[in-house]
Structure formats: C-alpha cells, structure tokens
Amino acid sequence: MASYRICLLPGDGIGPEIIAEGVKVLDAVGAKHGVSFSYDEALIGGAAIDACATALPEATLATAKGADAVLLAAVGGPKWDTTDPAKPRPEQGLLGIRKELGLYTNLRPVQIFPALAEASTLKPEVVDGVDMMIVRELTGGLYFGERARFYDEPGCGSQGTPGQRAYDTLEYREYEIERIARQAFEAARKRKKKVTSVDKANVLETSRLWREVVHRVHEQEYVDIELEDLLVDNAAMQLINRPADFDVVVTENMFGDILSDEAAQITGSLGMLASASLGDGAALYEPSHGSAPDIAGAGVANPLAQILSVEMMLRYSFNLTAAADDVRRAVTAVLDEGWRTSDIKDAGTAADRVVGTAAMGDLVVAHL
Ligand code: NAD
C-alpha cells in the first residue's frame, strides 16, 4: 500500500477547525483508494510565536522538509498584529516556509461551482464558464527585495525636507522567470492551452525582462500554447470584464498577490478557494483565505477550501488523479444537494441545510 507522510500546520484562528476536516477527507479517500497517510503536526504563525517566539520554528521547518507534502490552514490574528519591525509577525511563518521549501510557484484555481454561481457579485452571464488558473511567482520580487527606512535630518533627503523615507527593491533574475513561465505553459498544456502573461513592461525594467524571458521560453519550448501579454492595470479590469476568456494567468509576486484575490472574488466565496505552492521538493497546500479570527472557535467556518486544497495535494504531489476527482465530485454533490456553511448560504438556502464545519466535512466524506 502506498503511504505518504504529511506535515500538518493548523496555524491560528479557524485553522485547527478546518484542517481537521481536511484530514478526515484524506483518511476517507485514502481508505477508498488503498493509500495511507500519516501526519506530523507542527507550529506556525501566531501559535508558534506564543510557544517559541518565532513564527517559523526550526522544528517546523525540519518536519516540513521531511514530509511528502505540507497541509497548512491559516495564520494570523489581532493578537499578533504589530507594526514594530523588531517583533515577530505570523505571516513571517508563511513567507519563510515558502522560501525555505523553495516554493516558487503558487497555483490558484478559480472555478465557479454551478450551485454557487449566484454568490458572485458579477452577473451570471459574465461568470458562466469561468475556469482559470492563476500562476503567481512566489519567492522573488518586491516581497523579498532589500528594504529599509530612514529618518532624513533637516538638510538631507528630498529637497532637504526632514522626515521618514523608506524603500523596497523589486528584482528578478532570468532563471526565476524561466522556471515560472515553464510551470505556466505546462499547466496550460493540461488545460485550454492559453497563457496570459501579466506585467508592467511600459514602466518597470523587471517587467521588460519578464516579458522578454516569457517570450523566449514560449518560442523555444511551447509554440503549441497561445501566449498574450497584458499590462497589470488592464488585467485588473479584464479579469472582471471577461473572466471566462482566461485560462492560465502568469505573473510576478506582488501583481499575483493582488490579482489572485481579485480573481477569487469572482467566485464570491472565499471559503471555497484552495491553493498550491510548488517547488522542487515537498509542496504546500492551503486555503486562499485567512484565519478568520472573527469566527474562530465557533464551529461555523467553511472547511471546503481546505478540503479542496487536499484535492490539489492528491493531484499535484501524489498523482492520485482518481482520488482527487472523487474529492471534487463529493464537494460538488454536497453543494448540489443544497448544503451550505453560513458564509455561502443565500436567500434560497433552506435553514436545515446550513451546517457547521464538522458536519460539512462529514457530508463530503459521506459522498466519497
Ligand atoms: P480572512 O480571510 O481571515 O477573513 C475575511 C472574511 O472572510 C472574514 O469575515 C472571515 O470570517 C471570512 N472567512 C474567511 N475564511 C472563511 C471560512 N473558511 N469560512 C467562513 N468564513 C470565512 O481575512 P482577514 O480578516 O483579512 O485576515 C484575518 C487574519 O488572517 C489576519 O491576521 C491576516 O493577516 C491573516 N491572513 C492569513 C492568510 C494566510 O494564512 N494565508 C491569508 C490572508 C490573511
């Protein structure tokens, strides 16, 4: 029997509640497909700050590096909010683990579940058929460049005006762009064979290099894929204007951060969106939403994004396509039957079909 070791990182807020449902589904789908999973739980984010004064303890990193895949829930919460750069912050755990595991690609599928089409704030005819994959570069660019803050004394700084000054650095190397471009073209080959590369080549030098390298990789290795360029400001508009036209969208770290949240909103249900971060070793799977501290501990969080991140893990880390398809079918069936958590219920939802976190997990398991 095939067996896989999974590092579990529940994190903060609703994290522990939703990851339990992910594990439930993994165990059930594993039993059905003759695969066994073992779990090692570790601390990250605020929980790790409380226990070890750092958002990413060495022990967590070692556990993650020794695993076949990592399942993360979410980190953060008001308890750890701070603007003091000397204090640890939960998101350092996330940024750190992505960097340490070499997870340079973030995949965010954006699909409309027909039962939830009404949840979108866009018109049904605009969202009909939306099925795109945002491929975001994850370990380079502005979020990892050199940064600093100064105080300019009178007589120094801009026009001699005293005050604070800060800078961040946006840098990309050719190999970083090449490898993310390949991930995007490979993803497109398994989909509708179209890549939209988003940059700001009319202004930024990094974007000009980005465009040059993406086109070179395309011409040399992927002429079977259609490639288009879009400036990021235009992309922000087109994503909500004609979302069904996109297949794979590839972009750098910060643009991807913003556009993937915008694209997520097209579905209207944050609690439904999973993501995968891939590199050359163990990959990491997590929901796209945060730790929802406002509902933590209430047992009402939607576990479906976490469960769909399990689906991605089965597909991308373990190549268990049939098992992954089963999870997606089960989730679709549960929604088609009208079951909802409170975040995705609408005016037409029957009161007795609104369930909590654990009951939603049980329903998915029952449909496997
Ligand atoms: P959030 O995604 O946590 O919550 C936004 C809203 O959506 C809230 O009303 C929340 O209750 C709701 N929501 C989110 N997930 C839900 C779910 N599964 N089921 C039902 N409702 C859900 O974003 P936020 O409020 O901006 O951030 C809260 C904390 O999470 C902050 O500390 C932030 O830094 C952190 N955060 C973490 C991640 C991550 O771990 N990847 C991502 C974004 C934000």
Side-chain angles (χ1 to χ4, degrees):
M1 183 194 269
S3 75
Y4 297 102
R5 218 178 170 81
I6 296 171
C7 169
L8 294 179
L9 303 176
D12 310 313
I14 59 169
E17 297 162 63
I18 58 173
I19 211 165
E21 303 314 308
V23 169
K24 223 186 237 178
V25 169
L26 265 172
D27 286 339
V29 80
K32 183 176 170 190
H33 289 266
V35 183
S36 83
F37 300 105
S38 60
Y39 307 101
D40 294 306
E41 196 171 311
L43 294 169
I44 194 166
I49 292 174
D50 286 351
C52 319
T54 168
L56 183 61
E58 281 299 323
T60 298
L61 207 48
T63 306
K65 283 184 174 167
D68 295 309
V70 181
L71 187 65
L72 173 89
V75 301
K79 181 178 175 193
W80 304 282
D81 279 349
T82 175
T83 50
D84 181 350
K87 288 203 173 133
R89 281 170 288 113
E91 64 271 21
Q92 288 167 341
L94 271 187
L95 295 178
I97 200 165
R98 287 173 185 160
K99 192 83 181 170
E100 290 290 334
L101 294 180
L103 304 175
Y104 58 84
T105 306
N106 183 240
L107 300 182
R108 277 230 219 164
V110 179
Q111 273 169 317
I112 297 276
F113 284 89
L116 299 180
E118 291 295 322
S120 177
T121 48
L122 300 182
K123 295 182 189 124
E125 64 268 28
V126 175
V127 297
D128 186 35
V130 166
D131 179 6
M132 75 176 101
M133 176 78 83
I134 309 260
V135 180
R136 167 187 169 195
E137 201 291 325
L138 209 54
T139 53
L142 208 52
Y143 295 179
F144 290 95
E146 188 189 311
R147 74 200 55 178
R149 200 201 275 226
F150 304 96
Y151 186 82
D152 286 331
E153 300 295 341
C156 309
S158 167
Q159 295 158 355
T161 314
Q164 292 196 70
R165 179 161 60 95
Y167 71 83
D168 299 274
T169 320
L170 172 50
E171 188 174 89
Y172 267 105
R173 288 164 197 273
E174 236 175 314
Y175 81 93
E176 294 175 303
I177 305 169
E178 269 170 19
R179 65 186 183 182
I180 191 81
R182 282 197 188 95
Q183 294 268 17
F185 289 124
E186 289 293 335
R189 260 192 190 149
K190 295 188 192 125
R191 297 171 47 93
K192 293 175 274 175
K193 293 193 165 42
K194 182 177 170 191
V195 169
T196 303
S197 172
V198 174
D199 60 38
K200 187 73 182 166
N202 55 342
V203 178
L204 300 174
E205 199 52 42
T206 39
S207 278
R208 286 193 270 272
L209 178 65
W210 178 277
R211 195 175 280 208
E212 210 176 289
V213 173
V214 169
H215 278 263
R216 192 179 65 218
V217 171
H218 177 243
E219 276 153 32
Q220 290 176 351
E221 301 168 43
Y222 297 97
V223 281
D224 55 316
I225 308 291
E226 186 189 341
L227 171 65
E228 69 170 0
D229 301 298
L230 215 52
L231 293 174
V232 63
D233 39 350
N234 191 16
M237 291 194 288
Q238 299 311 325
L239 276 177
I240 50 169
N241 185 34
R242 48 176 183 94
D245 286 354
F246 292 94
D247 179 17
V248 172
V249 177
V250 63
T251 190
E252 61 98 73
N253 201 345
M254 185 177 66
F255 297 161
D257 189 7
I258 299 166
L259 292 182
S260 57
D261 271 12
E262 186 194 6
Q265 191 52 41
I266 294 169
T267 67
S269 35
L270 193 57
M272 298 296 303
L273 294 160
S275 83
S277 301
L278 317 176
D280 299 322
L284 181 144
Y285 300 85
E286 59 183 313
S288 297
H289 58 72
S291 57
D294 51 335
I295 55 166
V300 297
N302 182 350
L304 292 176
Q306 183 83 76
I307 289 169
L308 292 168
S309 65
V310 161
E311 179 215 331
M312 293 188 86
M313 175 185 284
L314 296 167
R315 207 178 288 287
Y316 293 102
S317 277
F318 309 143
N319 243 336
L320 295 169
T321 310
D325 289 346
D326 266 356
V327 172
R328 175 153 287 265
R329 254 195 304 273
V331 169
T332 308
V334 167
L335 293 170
D336 286 347
E337 285 179 10
W339 298 103
R340 301 284 186 271
T341 43
S342 45
D343 58 309
I344 51 171
K345 70 170 195 261
D346 58 32
T349 307
D352 63 352
R353 296 261 144 163
V354 180
V355 294
T357 313
M360 186 53 105
D362 291 341
L363 281 162
V364 175
V365 166
H367 282 78
L368 277 169

